[in-house]
């Protein structure tokens, strides 16, 4: 998985005149810590869970990245996600490096009390790794503001003082930022709107969304409110399709009932195999689930004109090549879903200032940053005749290289 991600680095490096030290530094994580968390279950037994935290690169500032709770998490996955975060922060010019964390657990099998114990155990284990000036976690797959609140509270207990800037994505009452809940989707929406004319997306464009979690739901709401027609969505239980468009409010209700598939058989809505969602007839395809969902096997069936990557790494390198050969434009994850880490940065800034912004300010600042970097990457892609993903990595790598070279070689020999 990390080897696949590093192919993006190698591709970007071909377009820049780099010192070999830069690539050597970015090919390996700075540090990855593995621990086994032991918690007390509600029945009195004790159970252990593998957990990791990776600080991939801190040249541009403290590392930043989410913590996911997922039964299939691995150390390689964590390191790959931290690599992507390194480039994502550089793309948006945030003063951060990339980090990531995970616990190998299915949180749906835990009670609320067990989930809290696990969350606090994670911070107990990694309290020397994280810190507002060293490594700043945030929510990710199957974690949320409640989990972040428990973690922030545990860190405060360990260090003996409230330290809200140690974690972002917290509840508003504990120093969270307004606008964080839909930030990932909103950033992607601002990018699509900015480039709509260049992408050939017109009012009424049809959208298929793979993954109807937080990001998928919010992008559906934002796009539908601005004239797009959501024709297909999927979640972990299956997928539905309606050529005339799905009602967003009914989708939300269906999801709360357990799955979007609960709407099948009403209003012209039919179920389709979840694997077929990527081949639905539409103009905009939004993968908003997990990694490697579009691959060599299903990429030839993609009918969309544009792919907006709200998930991390939803396309394999092989799929990238197939879509590029078919002139399908991919808005890459390290740009398209960077709204989340950008508003997390805003939260960190607000925590350190002790001054909190109205949601209109958060949205305006996010819009400015997404449009600025989107324009720069589009221009770079056009100027060099390369795909947007390559342009995004070149854009980020030039910033990382500048910081690495400015630090000098001594950084390579310190821990």
């Amino acid at each position: 998985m990390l080897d696949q991600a590093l192919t993006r680095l190698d591709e970007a490096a071909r377009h820049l005149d780099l010192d070999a030290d830069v690539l050597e530094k970015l090919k390996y994580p700075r540090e990855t810590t593995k621990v086994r968390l032991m918690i007390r279950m509600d029945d009195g037994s004790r159970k252990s869970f593998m957990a990791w935290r990776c600080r991939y690169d801190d040249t541009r500032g403290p590392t930043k990245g989410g913590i996911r709770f997922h039964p299939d998490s691995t150390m390689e996955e964590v390191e790959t996600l931290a690599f992507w975060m390194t480039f994502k922060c550089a793309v948006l010019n945030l003063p951060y490096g990339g980090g990531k964390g995970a616990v190998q657990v299915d949180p749906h099998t835990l009670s609320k009390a067990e989930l809290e114990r696990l969350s606090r155990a994670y911070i107990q284990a990694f309290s020397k790794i994280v810190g507002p000036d060293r490594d700043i976690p945030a929510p990710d797959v199957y974690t949320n503001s409640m989990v972040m609140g428990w973690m922030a509270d545990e860190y405060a207990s360990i260090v003996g003082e409230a330290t809200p800037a140690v974690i972002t994505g917290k509840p508003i009452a504990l120093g969270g930022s307004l606008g964080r809940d839909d930030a990932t989707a909103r950033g992607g929406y601002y990018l699509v709107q900015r480039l709509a004319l260049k992408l050939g997306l017109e009012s009424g464009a049809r959208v298929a969304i793979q993954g109807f979690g937080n990001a998928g739901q919010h992008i559906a709401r934002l796009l539908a409110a601005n004239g797009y027609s959501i024709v297909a969505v999927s979640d972990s239980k299956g997928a539905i399709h309606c050529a005339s468009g799905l009602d967003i409010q009914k989708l939300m209700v269906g999801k709360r009932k357990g799955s979007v598939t609960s709407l099948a058989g009403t209003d012209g809505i039919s179920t389709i195999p979840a694997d077929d969602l990527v081949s639905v007839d539409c103009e905009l395809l939004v993968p908003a689930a997990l990694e490697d969902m579009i691959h060599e096997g299903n990429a030839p069936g993609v009918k969309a004109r544009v792919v907006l990557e709200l998930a991390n790494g939803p396309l394999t390198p092989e799929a990238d090549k197939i879509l590029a050969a078919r002139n399908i434009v991919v808005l890459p994850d390290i740009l398209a879903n960077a709204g989340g880490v950008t508003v997390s940065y805003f939260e960190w800034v607000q925590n350190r200032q002790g001054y909190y912004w109205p949601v209109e300010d958060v949205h305006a600042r996010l819009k400015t940053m997404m449009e600025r970097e989107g324009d720069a990457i589009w221009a770079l892609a056009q100027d060099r005749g390369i795909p947007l993903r390559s342009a995004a990595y070149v854009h980020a790598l030039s910033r990382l290289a500048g910081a690495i070279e400015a630090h000098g070689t001594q950084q390579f020999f310190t821990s």
Side-chain angles (χ1 to χ4, degrees):
M1 190 176 183
L2 182 57
D3 287 345
Q4 279 192 347
L6 290 173
T7 63
R8 319 287 198 192
L9 173 63
D10 292 335
E11 167 65 22
R14 287 198 286 270
H15 299 280
L16 295 168
D17 183 17
L18 296 178
D19 190 295
D21 288 350
V22 171
L23 291 181
E24 183 67 16
K25 187 173 193 298
L26 292 174
K27 283 183 176 179
Y28 307 97
R30 183 172 179 83
E31 62 175 325
T32 303
T33 306
K34 177 176 74 172
V35 301
R36 186 167 286 279
L37 307 178
M38 184 81 73
I39 68 165
R40 181 76 65 185
M41 307 302 284
D42 290 346
D43 63 4
S45 65
R46 292 175 70 85
K47 190 170 182 179
S48 65
F49 302 90
M50 193 62 71
W52 302 269
R53 187 70 189 172
C54 173
R55 299 177 65 246
Y56 198 94
D57 182 81
D58 61 356
T59 308
R60 288 172 48 84
T63 48
K64 183 84 184 74
I67 301 169
R68 62 175 51 181
F69 288 178
H70 196 280
D72 297 327
S73 287
T74 64
M75 185 171 74
E76 185 180 20
E77 174 196 58
V78 170
E79 291 181 341
T80 303
L81 291 164
F83 169 85
W84 284 330
M85 280 299 300
T86 299
F87 280 80
K88 190 180 301 184
C89 291
V91 160
L92 267 290
N93 206 21
L94 304 179
Y96 289 144
K100 209 71 179 185
V103 180
Q104 193 178 72
V105 60
D106 181 356
H108 300 104
T109 65
L110 304 181
S111 69
K112 185 176 180 180
E114 290 167 342
L115 184 63
E116 179 175 357
R117 291 182 208 120
L118 183 64
S119 303
R120 292 181 180 275
Y122 187 93
I123 291 301
Q124 291 165 13
F126 292 103
S127 61
K128 297 294 192 296
I129 303 294
V130 303
D133 295 304
R134 192 172 194 276
D135 181 43
I136 306 147
D140 200 84
V141 176
Y142 294 146
T143 56
N144 55 23
S145 62
M146 179 176 67
V147 170
M148 295 304 108
W150 291 330
M151 290 184 173
D153 181 69
E154 189 64 28
Y155 186 83
S157 297
I158 292 169
V159 301
E161 61 181 9
T163 314
V166 69
I167 284 175
T168 60
K170 304 179 297 295
I172 300 298
L174 296 180
S177 175
L178 296 172
R180 179 62 184 86
D181 56 343
D182 70 352
T184 299
R186 186 172 289 274
Y189 166 73
Y190 287 149
L191 180 66
V192 166
Q193 288 295 86
R194 179 68 169 189
L195 300 177
L197 290 177
K198 296 181 176 71
L199 296 169
L201 294 175
E202 301 175 350
S203 179
R206 297 165 299 170
V207 183
I209 302 173
Q210 183 187 55
F212 207 62
N214 178 275
Q217 291 177 42
H218 283 300
I219 195 67
R221 174 181 57 82
L222 289 165
L223 290 172
N226 286 273
Y228 292 79
S229 176
I230 313 302
V231 297
V233 299
S234 68
D235 59 21
S236 60
K237 304 288 179 60
I240 57 174
H241 176 262
C242 181
S244 61
L246 295 158
D247 182 286
I248 300 305
Q249 293 306 316
K250 291 181 179 178
L251 273 175
M252 300 297 187
V253 171
K255 182 63 177 176
R256 286 195 293 271
K257 288 181 178 178
S259 173
V260 295
T261 57
S262 64
L263 299 179
T266 65
D267 301 324
I269 301 170
S270 60
T271 59
I272 59 174
D275 291 344
D276 289 354
L277 183 127
V278 301
S279 59
V280 163
D281 197 10
C282 63
E283 283 70 52
L284 177 62
L285 173 62
V286 184
L290 296 172
E291 299 84 33
D292 298 339
M293 299 300 286
I294 303 176
H295 46 77
E296 188 175 16
N298 60 13
V302 172
K303 296 183 177 66
R305 181 181 304 150
V306 180
V307 177
L308 173 70
E309 292 188 323
L310 283 192
N312 289 312
L315 271 69
T316 65
E318 293 79 15
D320 247 352
K321 293 175 184 176
I322 292 169
L323 298 190
R326 298 176 57 211
N327 296 316
I328 295 172
V329 177
V330 177
L331 299 174
D333 51 358
I334 62 170
L335 170 64
N337 70 24
V341 70
T342 303
V343 177
S344 278
Y345 165 63
F346 295 164
E347 181 177 330
W348 180 75
V349 169
Q350 292 170 82
N351 291 157
R352 296 176 75 93
Q353 291 178 336
Y355 176 78
Y356 293 85
W357 311 338
V359 70
E360 295 80 10
D361 285 3
V362 173
H363 289 168
R365 291 171 190 259
L366 174 60
K367 185 173 186 287
T368 296
M369 293 177 72
M370 291 299 300
E371 291 181 347
R372 181 189 69 208
E373 303 305 332
D375 286 347
I377 289 168
W378 182 272
L380 182 59
Q382 297 302 304
D383 181 59
R384 302 206 180 194
I386 57 178
L388 288 174
R389 188 186 310 282
S390 297
Y393 273 90
V394 170
H395 190 57
L397 183 55
S398 63
R399 285 173 171 163
L400 285 161
I404 291 169
E405 290 165 359
H407 272 288
T409 57
Q410 183 61 31
Q411 190 192 34
F412 289 94
F413 304 102
T414 58
S415 61

